[in-house]
Amino acid sequence: MDSRTPDLRDLLSKRVRILHTKRRLSIQKRIVEFEQQTYVLHFFLRKSTKDRFEAAVRKLQEAGISAQHVCAGTRSRREALRAGGHWLALSFLPGTPLSRKAHPKALAALGGTLAKLNAIEGAAAGALFERRRPVLPHEAYLSLAGAAHTPEERRWIEESLARMRRLPANQLTHGDLYGSNIIEQGDHAIGLIDYELMTYDVSGIELAATLMRPFCRQGVQRRSLLQGYLAACPAALADIWQRHAPDLVFTAATRLLAARQRRIRHLAIRDRVLAAGERVLPSPLSKRVVARRAAIAKNIASARENEAYYLHIARTMVGLCLAEPAIDAVRLLEQCDKLFRKPG
């Protein structure tokens, strides 16, 4: 069978091997293997969401980004009724996830890919599968950690919020650029997978967030990413970055902080539910629950490490920016890293 033109009915049949499933409120994602080919299936509650998702994937391809392509799907009401809902099947992108020891050439290629992605413009809207819209986190951060700042630092944060509100918010962003969603292909080329959180956001925000990801915390990696981005992005985006890099770094750090805190709360709830079940389940099932709780404990520990790091960046960088208003983003983050001490 041609891997580009599978039959959706075959991909939904019992003959496939299900490798992974993930559920959100409005979607279901399923990775399957059929006739030695791997596909990623998405189920949508609404046809409008499916159409929006498909259009976004098409934009990635038109921009020259290595991405999954749509190889099957429901096209009519009759097909959707027969399939039990609205479905799309995407190809599986070959390669390996980007590691924490990412080569500078891979980071430079990622910068170029981000520039192509961020050059796509559209109307600000919520993520493909969520109703929430991107928000500026300054006020929420001050209510949480404002006491850690001097009045002068609080004033910088408030002024940063005013500057950010003036920036355009029509830049397409991936929204979930962890190493597992960035695929390194031959010769350090970069592809992107998992598009559920794509949205139109503030110009430059995704570049700032990527500079703080675990795979980009060395100076040579950050410089390679930034140089690759600035060499490929439109002049307007480069100008925004040059003028607002500290504001973008602060916004990205506080957003990442809030995301880690939400994840910790979610994992803690799951752990409490499993703990309640562990006490009443029979021994064989109880052992499985123990293993799942151990995995959750590791995920919580990792999330807490990142939470501490992003909180440190947000608290520390404001004073550095006040002392040196023209500081560039890479040196700013290097100074923050020098002052960071891992908790525990």
Side-chain angles (χ1 to χ4, degrees):
M1 173 182 284
D2 183 349
S3 64
R4 291 181 178 271
T5 56
D7 192 304
L8 182 64
R9 289 174 295 182
D10 289 328
L11 298 181
L12 294 174
S13 72
K14 294 181 179 180
R15 291 185 292 157
V16 302
R17 186 161 70 97
I18 298 176
L19 305 178
H20 175 73
T21 59
K22 181 169 72 174
R23 290 177 175 83
R24 292 179 184 270
L25 182 63
S26 57
I27 68 155
Q28 176 184 314
K29 178 178 176 181
R30 185 187 303 171
I31 301 177
V32 303
E33 186 180 84
F34 179 71
E35 295 190 352
Q36 299 182 327
Q37 298 288 341
T38 305
Y39 302 91
V40 183
L41 303 179
H42 287 87
F43 169 80
F44 306 83
L45 288 177
R46 295 182 296 274
K47 182 179 183 298
S48 59
T49 309
K50 179 188 80 71
D51 293 343
R52 196 161 66 243
F53 177 87
E54 190 170 5
V57 173
R58 192 179 303 116
K59 286 182 179 180
L60 299 184
Q61 296 166 341
E62 291 170 353
I65 296 170
S66 178
Q68 298 162 280
H69 64 269
V70 176
C71 49
T74 52
R75 300 299 174 192
S76 66
R77 182 178 297 178
R78 178 178 295 179
E79 287 180 342
L81 287 171
R82 190 185 305 132
H86 306 287
W87 289 88
L88 280 179
L90 302 187
S91 61
F92 193 82
L93 201 64
T96 57
L98 196 68
S99 73
R100 291 196 177 200
K101 297 180 180 179
H103 194 282
K105 288 184 179 179
L107 271 298
L110 174 60
T113 297
L114 273 183
K116 293 177 183 177
L117 175 69
N118 297 162
I120 300 170
E121 295 184 350
L128 286 171
F129 299 133
E130 297 187 11
R131 292 187 180 277
R132 65 176 175 83
R133 292 172 178 265
V135 297
L136 296 175
H138 299 63
E139 292 172 339
Y141 169 79
L142 280 174
S143 67
L144 169 74
H149 292 285
T150 66
E152 189 177 22
E153 289 171 340
R154 288 178 63 91
R155 186 164 54 253
W156 186 94
I157 294 170
E158 291 165 355
E159 291 172 352
S160 174
L161 173 59
R163 291 189 292 267
M164 290 295 297
R165 282 174 171 161
R166 291 194 290 269
L167 293 183
N170 59 349
Q171 176 188 84
L172 187 62
T173 57
H174 182 278
D176 198 21
L177 277 183
Y178 295 99
S180 58
N181 291 338
I182 302 168
I183 304 300
E184 188 172 358
Q185 301 170 308
D187 223 11
H188 299 298
I190 291 296
L192 302 179
I193 63 172
D194 282 3
Y195 316 122
E196 292 97 314
L197 298 183
M198 282 204 304
T199 190
Y200 292 98
D201 205 340
V202 177
S203 298
I205 191 65
E206 191 154 54
L207 173 60
T210 308
L211 288 170
M212 289 178 279
R213 296 293 193 185
F215 58 79
C216 195
R217 290 187 183 170
Q218 296 179 13
V220 65
Q221 292 174 321
R222 286 170 172 154
R223 283 188 287 273
S224 296
L225 176 75
L226 189 55
Q227 288 167 4
Y229 186 93
L230 294 177
C233 75
L237 291 183
D239 181 63
I240 285 173
W241 179 260
Q242 297 293 349
R243 290 187 293 114
H244 295 285
D247 296 322
L248 292 163
V249 169
F250 179 83
T251 304
T254 47
R255 274 193 185 176
L256 290 167
L257 168 64
R260 292 304 87 195
Q261 291 170 337
R262 287 194 299 270
R263 178 162 174 76
I264 291 167
R265 289 194 296 269
H266 173 71
L267 289 170
I269 291 170
R270 286 180 59 191
D271 185 63
R272 287 197 295 271
V273 172
L274 289 172
E278 183 183 347
R279 292 192 290 270
V280 299
L281 290 172
S283 180
L285 291 177
S286 180
K287 288 180 180 178
R288 272 198 228 170
V289 170
V290 169
R292 288 179 65 186
R293 290 191 67 199
I296 287 175
K298 287 184 179 180
N299 289 335
I300 289 176
S302 175
R304 289 200 185 282
E305 284 185 11
N306 282 317
E307 176 194 29
Y309 178 74
Y310 298 134
L311 178 60
H312 167 79
I313 296 293
R315 284 179 172 172
T316 306
M317 65 162 287
V318 179
L320 295 172
C321 290
L322 285 169
E324 189 178 345
I327 190 170
D328 69 87
V330 173
R331 199 156 68 81
L332 172 63
L333 289 171
E334 285 177 341
Q335 293 296 319
C336 288
D337 286 347
K338 287 179 182 179
L339 299 170
F340 180 61
R341 297 291 179 268
K342 287 187 177 182

